[in-house]
Amino acid sequence: MEIEVLEGVFDANEIIARENRALLDKKGAFMVNLMASPGAGKTSFIMKTLEGVKETLECAVIEGDIAGKVDSERIAAAGVQAIQINTGGSCHLEAKQVNTALGRLELDGVDLVIVENVGNLVCPAEFKIGEDIKVMILSVAEGHDKPLKYPLMFSESHVLIVNKIDLIPYTDFDIDALEETVRRMNPEIDIFRMSCRTGEGVAGWIDWLTARVKG
Amino acid sequence: MEIEVLEGVFDANEIIARENRALLDKKGAFMVNLMASPGAGKTSFIMKTLEGVKETLECAVIEGDIAGKVDSERIAAAGVQAIQINTGGSCHLEAKQVNTALGRLELDGVDLVIVENVGNLVCPAEFKIGEDIKVMILSVAEGHDKPLKYPLMFSESHVLIVNKIDLIPYTDFDIDALEETVRRMNPEIDIFRMSCRTGEGVAGWIDWLTARVKG
């Protein structure tokens, strides 16, 4: 039976991703794998999300970066459990690193774990970490042509956050063209237009996320 | 002797990078390895560069993307030789792919080869391709904290282009803080402030590049 169960498992990463999944299920926690280019606004988005759900959900954050710990310090300063993973040179998080971080968090009572992956539109999409959903952020400053260049990220994500919409008037970004391209690649995706800087569009995401986590 | 020569060579990539270097030296061509996050403006920067040097330098472009060929078509439409490399899933170019592309270009008479690497601030910095210089672009929309998170890219690059400076008034980007951080990591780096959209700052880069290629 053990062999049969493992037949569909492609590699060690997937085995550990399933372990993470089982641990989160046991604790009743929902996990978001948050991915984006460098500078798309992942940490600001996490801060806005934590603020939006603070009355309803108990949260923890795992911060993945090549180097540095400014992000986890910023989150811990807001009173939320945060663990920093430094990948050294690696351009993505693997399930094993997330497993170690989950082991260091106090998960009892936690409803939502947000994992900030390394800033990269390529490899993070290929490595499962045991998440419930993959959420990606695209900043309008990156341009509306990105889905054609980084197709896996856009087709694998459950949610697309189009961030920094306050900059649209100063760019050539065509948000309708972007959404059309993305929906053609991934008809099931949920798209939220947002500015973490001004707060526009955050409420809709908070309602959606809260319903998913509680549901 | 052959063994001794190879002792300092770390891997197959470096051997092929040296082959590329030897080929370019033989042809008298200078090669730029251009790296940046997705959407920092690599292709627009290449278009501005080609326009700026069109009277003085004969150019060719190698476009690296996960998928798609919009970039090479855009460059070919401007009358410049362009080869598209699609890496499939890979998040960086390796010397071998550039070697194949160089073999398909007509290099006689070419002064400058620009290689647009895959949009990624991590792995491209680790793989030599036989370039003369590494040039990286940071868009102001990405934030001035990026050097601390992606240190290898900033410390390996010979030139930093700070792009989209026309957006600075609409962001919290601190360009002096950025430059100070980068120069602390990499005192030799040349930094150009630019907007490929408005053309501001392009001329200084063109003068610098032309002198380097001709020098």
Side-chain angles (χ1 to χ4, degrees), chain A residues 37-39 42-43 65-68 70-71 89-91 116 118-123 126 139 141-142 146 148-151 164 166-167 170-172 197, chain B residues 37-39 42-43 65-68 70-71 89-91 116 118-123 126 139 141-142 146 148-151 164 166-167 170-172 197:
Chain A
S37 292
K42 290 184 292 304
T43 311
D65 276 302
I66 305 285
V70 287
D71 290 344
S90 179
C91 63
E116 180 177 336
V118 180
N120 179 350
L121 279 193
V122 188
C123 305
E126 296 171 21
S139 147
E142 295 176 60
K146 291 301 154 292
L148 301 174
K149 294 191 175 183
Y150 306 92
K164 309 195 188 184
D166 54 307
L167 292 180
Y170 316 109
T171 67
D172 309 313
R197 190 154 176 260
Chain B
S37 293
K42 290 184 293 303
T43 312
D65 276 303
I66 305 286
V70 287
D71 289 343
S90 179
C91 62
E116 180 178 335
V118 179
N120 179 350
L121 279 194
V122 188
C123 305
E126 296 170 20
S139 147
E142 295 176 61
K146 291 299 153 294
L148 302 174
K149 293 192 175 182
Y150 305 93
K164 309 194 187 183
D166 55 306
L167 292 181
Y170 316 110
T171 65
D172 309 312
R197 189 155 177 259

Side-chain angles (χ1 to χ4, degrees), chain A residues 21-38:
Chain A
R21 185 68 260 142
L23 171 64
L24 293 162
D25 285 343
K26 193 174 135 202
K27 299 287 184 179
F30 187 92
M31 188 159 79
V32 170
N33 182 1
L34 178 64
M35 301 175 291
S37 292

